[in-house]
Amino acid sequence: NVQGDGVAIALRGDDINGSQSDLVFFETSQRLRTLSGTVSNLIFDVTLPNYSRETDRFTVFLLLLSNSSGTVFFDDIKLETAVD
């Protein structure tokens, strides 16, 4: 029963082996789709575009956005490679 701005997920990739830690990408569902209300058994994902730089670290963010309230459960979180 989430009320307010809702829930989103994000994925960040960093190159940590260079001379400094560089952001490679940051993709979020927040610009495209957020969830609010009561939802169960929903598959919710973020798809990364192709990128050419090395990525050494992935960080997944599970977000209860500002001005939101309620309880959120995230189950079976996966990072998968999709092949066309």
Side-chain angles (χ1 to χ4, degrees):
N1 190 14
V2 175
Q3 297 179 6
D5 290 342
V7 174
I9 58 176
L11 184 59
R12 175 185 170 132
D14 294 288
D15 175 3
I16 61 173
N17 288 324
S19 60
Q20 56 184 315
S21 181
D22 292 324
L23 174 68
V24 177
F25 63 81
F26 184 84
E27 292 293 327
T28 179
S29 66
Q30 186 174 355
R31 290 186 289 272
L32 303 173
R33 180 179 182 200
T34 58
L35 294 176
S36 60
T38 301
V39 180
S40 62
N41 300 321
L42 177 70
I43 296 175
F44 195 51
D45 60 18
V46 171
T47 302
L48 299 175
N50 293 328
Y51 54 91
S52 59
R53 292 184 46 203
E54 280 192 36
T55 302
D56 303 304
R57 178 177 49 206
F58 291 95
T59 305
V60 178
F61 298 90
L62 308 171
L63 306 166
L64 181 61
L65 301 172
S66 62
N67 301 317
S68 296
S69 62
T71 302
V72 179
F73 297 96
F74 292 95
D75 299 317
D76 300 322
I77 299 165
K78 298 183 231 179
L79 184 61
E80 298 178 325
T81 302
V83 179
D84 290 338

